[in-house]
Amino acid sequence: MQSEPLLIESEETQPAMSPQDYISILRRRRSTIITTWLVISAFGILVTLATRSVYQATAKLLVDGPTLTTQTDDSNIANYFNIGSDQTVDTKVEELQANPLLSQVGQHTHNAKVTVASVKGTNVIGITGESTDKKDAARAPNLLIQLYLANKAKTDLQEIHKAQAFAQKQIASAQARLNSANTRNRELKRKGGFVDIKSSRDDASARVATLTQQYQSAQASLAGARALVSGLRTLVAAEPATLDVQIRQTNAEIATLKSRITQLDLQRSQMMLPGGYTAKAPQVKAIDAEISTLHTRLAGLPAVSTTMTSNPNTVRESLRTKLASSEGDVANLEASVLESKSLLTQAKNELATFPTYEAPAEQIQNEHDAALSAYQMYSTTLQNLNLREQARHVSAHVIEPAVIPSQPVRPKKALNFLFAIIMGGVIGILMALLQEYLDDRLNSTEDAERLLGLPSLGRVPQLSRDDALLLSNMGGPHPELEAYKTLRTNIHFAAIDTPFRSLQVTSSSPGEGKTTTATNLAYAMAADGKRVVLIDTDLRRPSVHKHLDLSQTPGVTEILVGDATLQEALQVSPNFPNLSVLAAGTIPPNPSELLNSQKFRSMVEQLSSRCDIIIFDSAPVLAVADAQIVASQADGVVLVVANGETRKTAAKQAQTLLRRARANVIGVAFNKMNVKDTPAYYQYTAATSTEALPGRNGHSTRQIETEGTKK
């Protein structure tokens, strides 16, 4: 035995997963990927097939501008005659989307969906109908246009009739006032006894009329000029003398902080990869603290920096120039008004000297003229309204009616099928990765190597036959046989300079195949010509004697309590003369104390002098402390891991316990591998082999290794 077991170094950082690791995961989880892909794809296809087809048809409507606009000085009159007022395209879109129209369309088309939108930059309105019935899809927009045009024509006709009635009423009123003026004029002439006004009165009246017009015109001009001056003064007062201009610049420090945060996030993600640091690790906390500090600084920084500058307000200067000019105009107009007023006063004073009848005569004449003007205006308006009624102008035209569509717009079956298939594959892969993340079992040698930081010494396929638990039962080439040869060779290479004199085979939990591995490893080493002693140190649930059909007693317990000698307890394997077996013996009440006794160490030293290597089959590490005791006395420890059964936490805890016992864990034996998942060379079989493995009946089979083929 070596004088002192090799001390395992402290925990190392687990290596990051490579693309090959992900490919291995997807291969192992292929059933999950295929099942998820089939379910998602089938669901998407079924939903697409179950969805009713929707058809779409579009009609286009060209809307016109105003057709009749009558302007007057009376705003109330304008409300009656402004029939052709301007309406924007958006206003007409809203009219088309009115609930009454859409309700009527829905009643005739089984509630087809109608969408109205204007074509940008034109006076064209697009009306789109959607329905599961292709005929309703085309009928809906066409019917909406028909209803809109009919309703629009009816509304316009009602407005025309209303305007005609108002115009006729105003014509009758003007006619009555005109008749009254004529009657009063005749009565005044009869009472005054004159036929015509004297020429002087005519001249005076003409002068008064002219001056009155000039005076009114001057007043109107003065009022307009004063209003302009008032408006300009308001604008000048509202305009500042100078204008402040903001210059905004992006804060460069923000980009620097964001870049640093991104680098830290990437570094943290790499540290938090499976098998790496945990969230409570000091290194991760340090990065989190720095990220938090950077976010705090980033939150306190303004997004942009702003500077202010002032420029002279050119608009205010321009307004002041116009104001000065307008104030000069007001002064001139005020002088003109005063002059016109003075002249008008003089003319009126002259006219007042005329006989008393001249004033009533003038009033009657004015009423006559006003009534005549109103009569003529409303007569012209009525004629225009009559023409409008006869023309029946239509303010909108159909430039493209909706036609029955031949193909549905949705669902797009081919696209939906492709999307379902792609999403099924993506979700399947994500489900496989999630399943792998949540799975706490070791499913590959790569998992074990990455988790434990130990090399894989061998991959033993799943034993499919009850009589194939031992190499001695295997006739001909087998993957199991080659696996144990590989395990034996890798153990030899693990101690090429100082060969192991003692080797412990253990596992984290029961049922992982440690006894089968220890027994077959002993067979493989014995077949290599070495003198091997296999000791069953599982004194609580011994099973080596059952695998080899040997007697349980006498064994280790009897030797340690002095009931048997080493020579009496050793049993020779019937298949290999150079393989000796020391069974566990009677199950003692204190296994740990016996294994930790000086007598056990002395027994091991005696056996070590008689053989080339001792193999211990010990209890599981997590079950009892026996495995740690034996591990501290062995030159090397092989940790058996069952594929798909051993928990990662259990394996890691077992490694920790063995490290505390100062055990030299040389690697992992991956047991119960699926043949499909093993390397190709496990399936590379030979017609014969170079080693002799005696059968259970004691007969030996000599095999010669030749070139094999892939299974």
Side-chain angles (χ1 to χ4, degrees):
M1 293 178 58
Q2 294 180 349
S3 60
E4 189 174 309
L6 179 62
L7 179 61
I8 302 297
E9 296 179 358
S10 60
E11 269 190 63
E12 299 177 355
T13 302
Q14 299 177 15
M17 294 183 64
S18 64
Q20 289 75 12
D21 295 330
Y22 285 105
I23 294 174
S24 177
I25 291 173
L26 298 180
R27 184 175 65 249
R28 288 197 310 273
R29 305 290 181 179
R30 56 183 174 272
S31 59
T32 299
I33 297 175
I34 294 174
T35 301
T36 305
W37 175 73
L38 290 175
V39 170
I40 298 297
S41 299
F43 178 77
I45 292 173
L46 290 177
V47 169
T48 300
L49 295 176
T51 303
R52 297 185 64 182
S53 298
V54 176
Y55 296 87
Q56 186 181 91
T58 301
K60 293 183 179 180
L61 185 68
L62 177 63
V63 295
D64 297 338
T67 58
L68 174 63
T69 301
T70 302
Q71 298 179 351
T72 101
D73 295 334
D74 192 337
S75 60
N76 293 326
I77 297 177
N79 291 333
Y80 286 103
F81 299 151
N82 196 18
I83 299 172
S85 59
D86 289 329
Q87 287 185 341
T88 64
V89 177
D90 292 337
T91 301
K92 296 187 178 181
V93 168
E94 293 299 323
E95 290 180 351
L96 285 165
Q97 294 182 132
N99 286 331
L101 291 178
L102 295 180
S103 298
Q104 295 182 54
V105 172
Q107 293 174 2
H108 293 83
T109 59
H110 302 90
N111 293 320
K113 180 181 178 182
V114 179
T115 304
V116 182
S118 61
V119 179
K120 186 176 182 180
T122 68
N123 287 343
V124 177
I125 299 175
I127 305 171
T128 302
E130 288 188 0
S131 175
T132 54
D133 186 341
K134 62 174 67 177
K135 293 182 179 179
D136 285 345
R139 186 184 300 116
N142 292 334
L143 180 58
L144 178 61
I145 292 176
Q146 293 175 6
L147 294 173
Y148 170 74
L149 293 179
N151 185 65
K152 188 69 174 174
K154 181 180 178 180
T155 302
D156 289 347
L157 186 60
Q158 290 176 349
E159 291 179 354
I160 290 175
H161 288 166
K162 186 177 179 181
Q164 286 175 334
F166 179 81
Q168 290 172 353
K169 182 179 179 181
Q170 296 299 320
I171 289 174
S173 176
Q175 181 67 52
R177 288 187 283 114
L178 187 61
N179 293 336
S180 175
N182 290 331
T183 300
R184 290 167 59 196
N185 189 32
R186 285 193 301 270
E187 181 65 23
L188 182 63
K189 288 181 180 181
R190 185 191 63 80
K191 186 178 180 180
F194 55 86
V195 178
D196 195 5
I197 303 176
K198 296 179 180 181
S199 59
S200 59
R201 196 271 306 165
D202 292 338
D203 294 340
S205 297
R207 178 174 174 78
V208 169
T210 302
L211 291 175
T212 300
Q213 184 177 2
Q214 292 177 354
Y215 178 69
Q216 291 176 347
S217 177
Q219 280 188 320
S221 299
L222 178 59
R226 286 175 176 174
L228 178 60
V229 169
S230 177
L232 289 174
R233 286 175 178 173
T234 302
L235 293 176
V236 170
E239 287 291 333
T242 58
L243 295 178
D244 293 333
V245 180
Q246 291 186 351
I247 301 176
R248 299 168 61 89
Q249 297 179 341
T250 303
N251 196 332
E253 188 176 354
I254 292 179
T256 303
L257 292 179
K258 287 184 177 179
S259 175
R260 179 55 182 168
I261 290 173
T262 302
Q263 294 176 359
L264 292 174
D265 285 337
L266 179 59
Q267 182 179 352
R268 187 183 187 278
S269 300
Q270 292 175 348
M271 295 177 68
M272 293 293 291
L273 289 174
Y277 290 102
T278 63
K280 296 182 179 180
Q283 295 86 342
V284 176
K285 288 184 176 181
I287 291 179
D288 290 340
E290 185 175 353
I291 292 176
S292 176
T293 302
L294 292 177
H295 277 296
T296 302
R297 291 181 57 194
L298 185 62
L301 290 176
V304 294
S305 59
T306 305
T307 57
M308 302 293 296
T309 182
S310 298
N311 293 327
N313 191 341
T314 57
V315 174
R316 187 172 185 273
E317 296 300 325
S318 176
L319 291 174
R320 291 181 62 185
T321 302
K322 291 181 180 179
L323 177 60
S325 176
S326 298
E327 288 176 344
D329 294 340
V330 168
N332 295 332
L333 288 173
E334 287 177 347
S336 177
V337 168
L338 292 176
E339 182 181 359
S340 298
K341 184 177 180 181
S342 177
L343 293 175
L344 180 60
T345 301
Q346 293 177 4
K348 286 183 177 180
N349 291 334
E350 292 177 2
L351 188 61
T353 61
F354 287 97
T356 306
Y357 295 105
E358 292 181 350
E362 184 178 0
Q363 181 180 359
I364 293 172
Q365 185 64 38
N366 291 337
E367 292 177 357
H368 177 274
D369 294 342
L372 180 61
S373 176
Y375 180 84
Q376 293 174 345
M377 181 190 71
Y378 285 113
S379 297
T380 303
T381 301
L382 183 59
Q383 292 176 0
N384 292 335
L385 290 173
N386 293 335
L387 291 175
R388 169 76 175 179
E389 181 182 10
Q390 295 175 4
R392 296 288 179 90
H393 177 74
V394 180
S395 61
H397 306 274
V398 179
I399 60 175
E400 182 180 323
V403 297
I404 298 176
S406 59
Q407 298 293 332
V409 293
R410 60 178 185 274
K412 300 185 182 299
K413 294 183 178 180
L415 183 61
N416 288 1
F417 291 166
L418 179 61
F419 180 76
I421 292 172
I422 294 175
M423 288 303 299
V426 172
I427 295 175
I429 293 174
L430 294 177
M431 286 294 294
L433 296 176
L434 177 62
Q435 188 180 32
E436 180 70 18
Y437 175 76
L438 298 177
D439 191 356
D440 189 40
R441 298 172 298 177
L442 291 173
N443 297 300
S444 67
T445 55
E446 292 79 6
D447 286 348
E449 291 176 355
R450 187 167 49 251
L451 176 69
L452 304 176
L454 298 174
S456 174
L457 299 175
R459 309 180 187 185
V460 180
Q462 176 73 45
L463 300 177
S464 59
R465 301 184 303 276
D466 293 339
D467 61 347
L469 294 176
L470 301 178
L471 298 182
S472 61
N473 301 334
M474 301 177 187
H478 285 284
E480 295 89 342
L481 178 62
E482 297 301 325
Y484 280 108
K485 289 180 182 179
T486 302
L487 177 60
R488 178 194 66 191
T489 303
N490 287 338
I491 292 174
H492 171 70
F493 287 142
I496 192 67
D497 295 328
T498 306
F500 295 126
R501 298 300 306 277
S502 59
L503 192 67
Q504 180 194 26
V505 179
T506 186
S507 62
S508 60
S509 305
E512 296 179 3
K514 64 176 182 58
T515 300
T516 301
T517 301
T519 305
N520 286 322
L521 180 59
Y523 269 126
M525 288 188 173
D528 197 30
K530 294 183 179 180
R531 294 174 299 166
V532 182
V533 174
L534 175 61
I535 303 177
D536 190 351
T537 57
D538 189 352
L539 303 184
R540 301 174 190 270
R541 296 178 61 184
S543 59
V544 170
H545 63 281
K546 296 178 182 179
H547 283 66
L548 302 178
D549 287 341
L550 299 176
S551 174
Q552 181 178 351
T553 58
V556 175
T557 303
E558 282 73 20
I559 295 175
L560 297 181
V561 299
D563 291 344
T565 64
L566 184 60
Q567 191 63 31
E568 293 172 346
L570 278 175
Q571 304 177 64
V572 179
S573 170
N575 300 326
F576 287 97
N578 56 337
L579 173 59
S580 299
V581 180
L582 183 58
T586 305
I587 298 177
N590 55 344
S592 298
E593 287 75 6
L594 291 178
L595 294 175
N596 201 28
S597 64
Q598 183 60 41
K599 289 185 178 181
F600 180 76
R601 296 186 183 89
S602 300
M603 180 193 72
V604 173
E605 290 179 359
Q606 292 180 31
L607 290 173
S608 180
S609 63
R610 299 184 182 184
C611 64
D612 297 321
I613 188 169
I614 299 174
I615 297 178
F616 298 103
D617 175 32
S618 63
V621 177
L622 301 183
V624 290
D626 301 0
Q628 293 175 261
I629 296 173
V630 176
S632 65
Q633 303 179 46
D635 293 344
V637 177
V638 176
L639 183 62
V640 178
V641 172
N643 177 38
E645 297 180 10
T646 301
R647 298 289 177 181
K648 295 179 181 178
T649 53
K652 192 65 179 177
Q653 187 176 0
Q655 182 191 26
T656 302
L657 293 175
L658 291 172
R659 181 181 291 112
R660 290 175 182 174
R662 297 178 60 83
N664 180 22
V665 184
I666 63 174
V668 176
F670 214 75
N671 195 22
K672 300 183 181 181
M673 287 286 292
N674 190 329
V675 175
K676 294 181 180 179
D677 294 333
T678 56
Y681 61 81
Y682 277 173
Q683 303 180 30
Y684 187 82
T685 61
T688 57
S689 176
T690 59
E691 297 181 0
L693 291 176
R696 205 154 188 162
N697 56 6
H699 298 289
S700 175
T701 303
R702 192 70 178 176
Q703 300 175 341
I704 302 174
E705 186 178 23
T706 59
E707 183 179 356
T709 58
K710 298 270 184 180
K711 284 188 178 181

